[in-house]
Amino acid sequence: MSSTPDSNFPPGLPGVRYDLADQLLPTKMGIEITEWDPKRVVGTMPVAGNLQPYGLLHGGANATLAETVGSVAAALNAGTDRVAMGLELSCTHHRAARSGQVTGVATPLHVGRSTSTFEIVITDEEGKRTCTARLTCIVRERPPGA
């Protein structure tokens, strides 16, 4: 699956400013969306460059990966005339990642008209769970011209 040039997001997400791709936090962190479907969104992120002072993957990096894949899933479920934005994110960090890359998989727990909630499981290259997150997004009408 390919994304829009100079972007690591799926093409055609309503309201996404693809012209700002080089300024987006997920781009700066090396996050790549590798699969996207309303029922499952997968993204990867390198550990290198996203460390905390002890040489471990930063918890905020996990949160960014979780919010990214969860928000893409929310946008895919929202439809073309609506936009989804993060409302609440919680992360439980189970084990450290020190190298390689981590993979986040977002699956829906609830998809409604005004909110949607996703579970995001982040694993290391050995398939061990490093983080479990839950993201709730608010879904609104897309502003005119967006």
Side-chain angles (χ1 to χ4, degrees), residues 59 62-74 85-94 104-111 115-122 129-138:
N62 273 333
T64 301
L65 176 59
E67 182 139 0
T68 300
V69 295
S71 291
V72 168
M85 294 166 281
L87 182 63
E88 180 179 28
L89 175 68
S90 66
C91 299
T92 301
H93 307 289
H94 305 294
V105 179
T107 54
L109 297 173
H110 163 77
V111 175
T115 64
S116 55
T117 301
F118 299 85
E119 178 183 55
I120 302 96
V121 174
I122 300 175
R129 188 182 293 227
T130 61
C131 178
T132 303
R134 190 179 78 175
L135 174 69
T136 298
C137 290
I138 191 164

Side-chain angles (χ1 to χ4, degrees), residues 29-116:
M29 296 182 69
I31 295 173
E32 299 271 344
I33 303 299
T34 59
E35 285 181 47
W36 56 88
D37 180 86
K39 300 241 183 271
R40 176 181 155 97
V41 173
V42 179
T44 61
M45 179 180 66
V47 173
N50 294 312
L51 302 177
Q52 43 92 307
Y54 299 118
L56 308 174
L57 180 63
H58 196 289
N62 273 333
T64 301
L65 176 59
E67 182 139 0
T68 300
V69 295
S71 291
V72 168
L76 291 171
N77 280 282
T80 58
D81 58 338
R82 300 176 63 77
V83 295
M85 294 166 281
L87 182 63
E88 180 179 28
L89 175 68
S90 66
C91 299
T92 301
H93 307 289
H94 305 294
R95 66 182 312 128
R98 292 178 173 83
S99 63
Q101 73 175 11
V102 291
T103 300
V105 179
T107 54
L109 297 173
H110 163 77
V111 175
R113 198 177 84 68
S114 61
T115 64
S116 55

